[in-house]
Amino acid sequence: MSDARRLEEFGTQGVVFIVDSFDCEEFSAVASRTNCLLGVPVIMACSRKRCLLPRRSRPLYCLLMDGMQICFSGFGTNIAECKRLIGLAHGMGAVVKKRIKYQTKVTHLVAQTPTGSNYDRALIAGIPALQPGWVEECWHHRRSVEDNFAERLVTQWSLEPLSFLRLHFYGFEDEEQKHMTEVAKQNGAVVVSADDPSLTHVVFNDFETVDNPFASRDVHFVRSEWFWASVQIRQTADESLYPYTWRPETPTSIATPTPSKSRKRLLYLESERPNKQRASYEGAESSPLSPKAKEAAKSSHRHQRALEMLQTERNYVAILHTIVKLFREPLENANQTGGAILTSAEVKEIFGNVHVLYGIHQALCEDLESLCNTWKEEASIGAIILKHAEELQKAYPPFINYLESARAAIASHDRSKPRFHAFLKVCQSKPACGRQSLADLMVTPVQRLPRVLLLLEDILKRTPPSMEDHATIQEAIAALKKVVEHINEDKRRTEDRLAMFDVVRSIHNCPADLLSSHRHLTAKLECVEVSNLIVGRGHPVTLFLFSDCLELCKPRKKPLSSPSLKHVTRLSLLHVEQVLDLGDAQFGIICEHGPFALTTEGDKKAFLKELCANIATSLCRPDPESLLRVASVEELSLEAHSLTLSRRMKRYASRVVQRATSLHNTPGRLRRALSQLLTSPFRQHEGSPMGKSGEGQ
């Protein structure tokens, strides 16, 4: 179409006009009369896909954004720029929406700033937020014929929560500042020097007291909590909520008075007192003592110890309150900006039943407060502990058993989830945490019951034997010791179960019934066979001693595979007739299959003692010592020289074990190692009665 004036001769109804550019005079002339305009890229795309030409109500130059629904947000008074970008998006086939609704079909958000209701809803719905440059870049490549070209640019033009900001960190240690600089760059910010004219925010260390070196600059002065909060909620936080206020250092006094002896006890109690924000938790606020209680406190050592127990209990409940209210509940809150930080399963993995402990100790603290406020010398402290002893015995084992896995989960999520990492930083900067991390706070319940025991023993010393509470406190101490013993025993059983799972995972073709509730692992020993009954003389054998059986394994012939061991046989301890000490590092076992001998560089004496004890338990015998005796070579039908592995044989066995566990061998080297194993002069070619379960995988 060379002459726009000829449009009147053709008319516009039922006619589709094709233009090479939307910037030419012909486009303006046609666009003023009809919207049926298509660009050359549309014709090429339809020809390649063999589909009909699209019918749109506005000019369409290409199909780079065909099928996309885009919402534009955050442009403020820059309406002209917003309209220009909308026109470009329409020209590439996109549908533009005014706002994002909760059941929306919007696929992309283009925003100039990471703020506003549309941005919040996009975060909740998982809609990618992009910079305006994404539309510009797509229009620049509008002649591209690649499929999904616009989608491939999404990551490059993603709108991060700190985009377009220029930050400067002040008052941080070098390592912390380096870490925050990396996080800032990952979230779209640019870290600049203090004298940079484009500086927008100065981030101060929350715990530093500094003068104002930027008083003349028109920038935002914020605490580091603002920085981490922005990363957590995935948008720029309101600076007015995190202002940095300067606290000039006050000169210290020249002389500090030394406390008198009469005040030492008071100072000790004050040192145990938490800060105000930590101590003020729901349902357990510190209530003032009654005048009668204050009068009794002057003359009663027993009451002083009761007050000490109350104060430490308040501190402990305040820490549990911090864990539950400051950490646990916000993490699983799905209504916050960006949705829940962790899933319910991840929250349960980290916190377990800490909320149950919180409820129990809240009630315990309230009972102690009531006792101290209405203090009488014959008041029963032991009865309060006995009242909650059963609940403590049920609540503590599940928490303590999985504390290490909870701390490992915290560390794992801290590395892999930026929002969780930022959330921990925000919480740690609050006074309620006392600058302690979540992992540190989670250790506190482990230490609580032993401390209560010490306090009760101290109170018992100051309680006359004639007083009724003396016997009650003794019962309370016995009950708490029983709780602690139950916790330790339950933890031991849990560790045994986890060890069983590790063993089962490390053995190929492991019998399914090896994992049993009545069976637990007691010992493990790496050996080399010197007889020819299990896997052959000179070959490594791994012994797993369980409470009722002995599992014998050998290294697999594919050392890079997992599991690394191969099941050979399982020997019931009921079928063991005798355990023989053959001197030095050798020992033998006589069973229903016959005698076999092994040598080890491990703790042979401890292993044989444990083995005899397990055999005696299985046979219901009271004399495990009688099962072990010193034997001669002839009793195993072996010659004396066969019990001693040569230096060359030991090197060979060690090399086989190293190859079985090495992760650095090439396939060629592995083949040569297997070939050497098959042709070794130490390999016995006769059949092994206990090793017929098949070759290693």
Side-chain angles (χ1 to χ4, degrees):
M1 186 180 64
S2 59
D3 192 356
R5 285 183 248 177
R6 299 179 59 190
L7 283 173
E8 296 180 1
E9 300 178 9
F10 290 108
T12 59
Q13 187 172 3
V15 179
V16 176
F17 296 91
I18 301 172
V19 295
D20 184 55
S21 173
F22 277 14
D23 299 328
C24 59
E25 295 182 2
E26 290 83 355
F27 170 77
S28 302
V30 176
S32 62
R33 292 175 171 81
T34 179
N35 288 323
C36 296
L37 285 109
L38 299 178
V40 173
V42 175
I43 306 300
M44 297 176 64
C46 292
S47 174
R48 188 174 66 257
K49 297 178 181 178
R50 297 189 177 184
C51 60
L52 297 176
L53 293 176
R55 298 294 297 237
R56 300 291 173 88
S57 59
R58 54 176 54 88
L60 180 65
Y61 186 80
C62 64
L63 299 175
L64 284 184
M65 293 185 175
D66 188 36
M68 295 183 179
Q69 295 193 17
I70 303 175
C71 176
F72 290 82
S73 175
F75 285 85
T77 58
N78 198 358
I79 300 176
E81 177 65 12
C82 183
K83 288 183 176 180
R84 187 182 70 84
L85 294 175
I86 291 175
L88 297 180
H90 282 151
M92 291 182 283
V95 176
V96 177
K97 297 289 185 178
K98 290 184 178 180
R99 61 183 61 88
I100 297 178
K101 300 181 180 179
Y102 281 105
Q103 291 183 343
T104 183
K105 295 182 180 179
V106 173
T107 59
H108 299 78
L109 171 72
V110 176
Q112 204 163 31
T113 57
T115 54
S117 59
N118 284 327
Y119 185 84
D120 293 344
R121 292 171 184 170
L123 288 178
I124 296 173
I127 298 172
L130 306 171
Q131 302 177 33
W134 174 65
V135 180
E136 299 272 9
E137 185 72 12
C138 290
W139 182 254
H140 181 71
H141 294 86
R142 58 187 178 276
R143 296 181 181 273
S144 175
V145 295
E146 298 181 33
D147 294 332
N148 300 323
F149 179 81
E151 283 291 345
R152 285 199 292 273
L153 295 177
V154 166
T155 304
Q156 178 182 347
W157 291 96
S158 176
L159 181 66
E160 300 297 340
L162 301 177
S163 295
F164 312 114
L165 301 185
R166 302 294 185 268
L167 308 181
H168 177 73
F169 299 105
Y170 189 86
F172 297 90
E173 295 182 358
D174 293 341
E175 185 176 351
E176 180 69 10
Q177 183 164 339
K178 181 180 178 182
H179 173 60
M180 296 179 71
T181 300
E182 293 175 355
V183 175
K185 292 179 180 178
Q186 293 170 1
N187 288 273
V190 177
V191 179
V192 298
S193 61
D195 55 354
D196 193 296
S198 63
L199 179 65
T200 59
H201 294 73
V202 179
V203 183
F204 291 90
N205 190 342
D206 295 351
F207 304 106
E208 290 292 329
T209 301
V210 296
D211 295 330
N212 185 358
F214 308 97
S216 60
R217 302 294 299 275
D218 185 17
V219 295
H220 294 284
F221 304 118
V222 292
R223 306 191 306 271
S224 61
E225 187 179 351
W226 168 86
F227 174 78
W228 293 115
S230 299
V231 177
Q232 176 197 332
I233 65 177
R234 301 296 300 163
Q235 70 177 42
T236 305
D238 187 357
E239 292 86 356
S240 62
L241 299 177
Y242 307 93
Y244 187 84
T245 55
W246 287 270
R247 300 177 299 278
E249 295 184 356
T250 57
T252 57
S253 58
I254 298 175
T256 302
T258 304
S260 61
K261 292 183 179 180
S262 62
R263 296 186 59 199
K264 285 185 177 179
R265 184 67 185 169
L266 179 60
L267 291 176
Y268 172 74
L269 289 175
E270 288 179 350
S271 66
E272 292 290 324
R273 188 176 302 146
N275 58 61
K276 293 181 180 180
Q277 294 194 28
R278 174 177 284 183
S280 58
Y281 60 92
E282 296 177 8
E285 289 81 0
S286 301
S287 55
L289 297 177
S290 62
K292 185 178 180 181
K294 291 180 180 179
E295 184 69 24
K298 296 179 181 179
S299 57
S300 173
H301 292 290
R302 181 174 141 84
H303 188 205
Q304 290 288 348
R305 299 304 182 271
L307 289 175
E308 184 178 347
M309 176 176 283
L310 171 61
Q311 187 60 57
T312 57
E313 188 66 21
R314 284 173 176 169
N315 295 353
Y316 178 58
V317 174
I319 291 174
L320 294 179
H321 176 81
T322 299
I323 295 174
V324 174
K325 300 297 182 181
L326 189 63
F327 287 95
R328 185 180 185 273
E329 293 182 359
L331 280 174
E332 58 184 354
N333 180 19
N335 296 325
Q336 61 183 306
T337 303
I341 299 175
L342 297 179
T343 64
S344 298
E346 291 169 339
V347 170
K348 187 175 181 180
E349 179 186 17
I350 292 175
F351 296 97
N353 66 336
V354 69
H355 59 288
V356 178
L357 296 178
Y358 177 49
I360 295 173
H361 282 276
Q362 259 190 320
L364 178 60
C365 187
E366 290 171 1
D367 291 344
L368 287 174
E369 280 195 1
S370 176
L371 181 80
C372 293
N373 289 335
T374 58
W375 177 257
K376 295 179 181 179
E377 199 61 28
E378 62 273 13
S380 180
I381 300 174
I384 295 177
I385 303 299
L386 289 174
K387 175 183 175 182
H388 300 280
E390 185 176 353
E391 295 176 323
L392 296 173
Q393 183 171 341
K394 292 180 180 179
Y396 268 93
F399 179 84
I400 294 177
N401 288 343
Y402 299 100
L403 178 60
E404 292 305 318
S405 61
R407 287 165 61 88
I410 292 173
S412 175
H413 295 321
D414 192 14
R415 291 189 301 267
S416 60
K417 298 179 182 293
R419 288 187 66 203
F420 181 68
H421 176 74
F423 172 80
L424 294 181
K425 289 290 187 180
V426 171
C427 293
Q428 191 173 350
S429 66
K430 295 181 179 179
C433 285
R435 302 187 71 172
Q436 288 184 293
S437 65
L438 175 60
D440 295 334
L441 294 174
M442 293 288 285
V443 179
T444 309
V446 180
Q447 307 163 346
R448 182 55 190 165
L449 292 185
R451 290 177 177 175
V452 174
L453 271 173
L454 293 176
L455 289 170
L456 283 176
E457 291 172 353
D458 193 17
I459 294 174
L460 182 64
K461 294 177 182 178
R462 289 159 175 78
T463 303
S466 59
M467 189 175 291
E468 183 180 351
D469 195 34
H470 189 277
T472 309
I473 293 176
Q474 288 181 327
E475 292 180 17
I477 291 175
L480 275 188
K481 286 183 177 179
K482 184 179 179 181
V483 172
V484 173
E485 291 174 359
H486 175 76
I487 292 172
N488 293 336
E489 179 63 22
D490 196 77
K491 183 171 178 59
R492 186 192 63 78
R493 288 197 299 266
T494 302
E495 290 174 349
D496 288 343
R497 295 190 192 103
L498 295 177
M500 288 284 292
F501 282 115
D502 292 338
V503 170
V504 171
R505 283 195 294 264
S506 67
I507 301 175
H508 180 66
N509 286 342
C510 180
D513 58 347
L514 181 64
L515 194 63
S516 177
S517 59
H518 71 275
R519 181 177 295 131
H520 60 274
L521 180 69
T522 59
K524 175 185 176 182
L525 191 66
E526 300 287 348
C527 306
V528 176
E529 187 178 9
V530 294
S531 60
N532 190 34
L533 186 69
I534 307 174
V535 292
R537 184 168 182 261
H539 288 270
V541 179
T542 301
L543 303 181
F544 292 102
L545 178 59
F546 296 95
S547 54
D548 63 341
C549 65
L550 185 65
E551 172 72 18
L552 294 92
C553 306
K554 63 181 180 180
R556 294 182 67 184
K557 292 182 179 179
K558 290 184 178 179
L560 293 183
S561 58
S562 180
S564 59
L565 298 174
K566 166 74 176 177
H567 168 73
V568 175
T569 189
R570 187 176 63 190
L571 180 62
S572 173
L573 298 185
L574 295 173
H575 299 153
V576 176
E577 300 174 6
Q578 195 75 50
V579 180
L580 305 176
D581 187 350
L582 303 178
D584 296 332
Q586 290 82 26
F587 65 96
I589 298 176
I590 301 177
C591 62
E592 61 179 359
H593 298 291
F596 62 92
L598 302 165
T599 183
T600 180
E601 295 180 357
D603 191 349
K604 182 191 78 169
K605 185 177 180 180
F607 182 82
L608 294 183
K609 183 179 179 181
E610 189 71 31
L611 174 60
C612 293
N614 289 1
I615 295 173
T617 302
S618 300
L619 296 175
C620 298
R621 290 179 55 173
D623 53 345
E625 298 83 5
S626 63
L627 295 171
L628 176 64
R629 65 184 178 85
V630 178
S632 61
V633 178
E634 290 76 12
E635 294 189 41
L636 288 180
S637 301
L638 296 173
E639 298 181 4
H641 66 83
S642 66
L643 289 180
T644 304
L645 290 178
S646 66
R647 184 176 300 176
R648 183 183 175 195
M649 184 177 291
K650 290 181 179 178
R651 285 200 306 266
Y652 173 75
S654 176
R655 190 165 62 248
V656 171
V657 175
Q658 290 176 0
R659 286 171 178 166
T661 57
S662 174
L663 297 177
H664 303 288
N665 292 329
T666 62
R669 291 179 179 175
L670 292 178
R671 286 194 295 270
R672 289 195 297 273
L674 292 175
S675 176
Q676 291 174 6
L677 179 63
L678 295 174
T679 60
S680 168
F682 311 128
R683 180 179 176 84
Q684 300 292 332
H685 295 283
E686 294 81 15
S688 298
M690 294 180 66
K692 293 182 178 180
S693 61
E695 293 299 326
Q697 298 298 316

